[in-house]
Amino acid sequence: MAEPLFPDWFFDRADPGLDTAFYGPPRLVTHIDEGAIAAVGDLYAELSVEGEVLDLMSSWVSHFRAPPRRLVGLGMNAGELAANPVLAEHVVHDLNVDPALPFPDAGFDDVTCCVSVDYLVRPVEVFNEVARVLRPGGRFVVTFSNRCFPTKAIRGWLATDDRGHLQIVAAYFAAAADRFRDLRGERRPTPPGGDPLYAVWAHRSSGDGPEVDRDRPTA
Ligand SMILES: C[S@@+](CC[C@H](N)C(=O)[O-])C[C@H]1O[C@@H](n2cnc3c(N)ncnc32)[C@H](O)[C@@H]1O
């Protein structure tokens, strides 16, 4: 029998209650400092995340330097999402109750998820769903720092350090089988003494036929 990818306790949380209770009150705050926020925007600009984009686990700020052509937000708090000036539309959806994304296949050029991946209790299902809603060649860009709501983060995340967090997110991508390719993970430049910013991203595989790489010119 195949070894389970993650031990039983990995996705336990100190507060196992419904996320709707925890995220009920709007939090119009930032979760990382200015330098780390700028690093998220720099990464999106560097990767040209500028088309039709889904911001997963979104709130009132999405950190883009320039708004993408169409940004859709999915999160837990309607007030926070309504206050986000860049969102063209938003949906309140609990990914820990239902990891299925309420969007059609191949509807987005890119998907982002900022400082939130540590709250997912069924991440591999979510990553598979992200692959489904991405167009071939589109990127899933996951960023995180070293802060969290500890009662809502999974035990596996709390049990390790920044390097371990990079490995955890890389493992989620890998567990989504052949649906992603060209995985990258790195610490991004931020001002000294401030919050660090880490990013892991990969391209959605085309699934059949020759791979299409949006970043490379075609002949
Ligand atoms: C630390 S905040 C980050 C918000 C935003 N991405 C940012 O960069 O500031 C965590 C976000 O994850 C969302 N979230 C937490 N649990 C969730 C769940 N089960 N399903 C969907 N979204 C969730 C919350 O709505 C909240 O906006």
Side-chain angles (χ1 to χ4, degrees):
M1 203 169 84
E3 284 288 313
L5 280 175
F6 304 99
D8 281 349
W9 53 267
F10 200 86
F11 297 111
D12 291 349
R13 300 189 291 175
D15 172 3
L18 275 178
D19 291 340
T20 37
F22 185 84
Y23 292 102
R27 292 181 179 85
L28 300 178
V29 300
T30 48
H31 301 280
I32 43 178
D33 69 16
E34 274 181 24
I37 287 172
V40 176
D42 289 347
L43 175 64
Y44 294 165
E46 189 179 308
L47 295 176
S48 302
V49 179
E50 60 196 11
E52 290 190 278
V53 181
L54 170 63
D55 190 27
L56 216 56
M57 310 183 82
S58 187
S59 179
W60 69 288
V61 277
S62 293
H63 316 308
F64 285 83
R65 276 209 237 140
R69 196 165 68 247
R70 176 171 162 259
L71 185 66
V72 177
L74 179 150
M76 287 298 293
N77 187 284
E80 292 174 12
L81 295 165
N84 188 324
V86 186
L87 296 181
E89 54 196 271
H90 65 259
V91 51
V92 173
H93 181 95
D94 187 341
L95 292 169
N96 288 337
V97 169
D98 180 7
L101 296 176
F103 305 108
D105 294 358
F108 295 102
D109 296 311
D110 292 299
V111 178
T112 56
C113 181
C114 182
V115 296
S116 302
V117 70
D118 42 325
Y119 305 118
L120 291 174
V121 301
R122 296 163 69 181
V124 177
E125 289 167 81
V126 173
F127 276 52
N128 268 305
E129 276 289 290
V130 169
R132 182 184 63 74
V133 302
L134 272 173
R135 299 185 176 121
R139 283 77 45 96
F140 183 24
V141 185
V142 179
T143 47
F144 53 88
S145 185
N146 60 2
R147 303 204 231 158
C148 64
F149 298 125
T151 59
K152 279 293 173 188
I154 56 163
R155 269 182 71 197
W157 191 270
L158 297 176
T160 187
D161 57 8
D162 298 339
R163 180 181 288 267
H165 297 155
L166 283 166
Q167 289 168 347
I168 288 171
V169 180
Y172 293 165
F173 274 109
D178 56 356
R179 307 197 79 180
F180 289 101
R181 61 175 171 80
D182 297 340
L183 182 71
R184 289 271 305 269
E186 61 191 37
R187 181 171 180 171
R188 301 290 299 176
T190 47
D195 291 341
L197 198 275
Y198 300 90
V200 185
W201 70 95
H203 294 249
R204 190 218 191 280
S205 304
S206 59
D208 49 28
E211 289 293 324
V212 177
D213 192 335
R214 242 180 44 195
D215 290 347
R216 285 190 201 122
T218 47

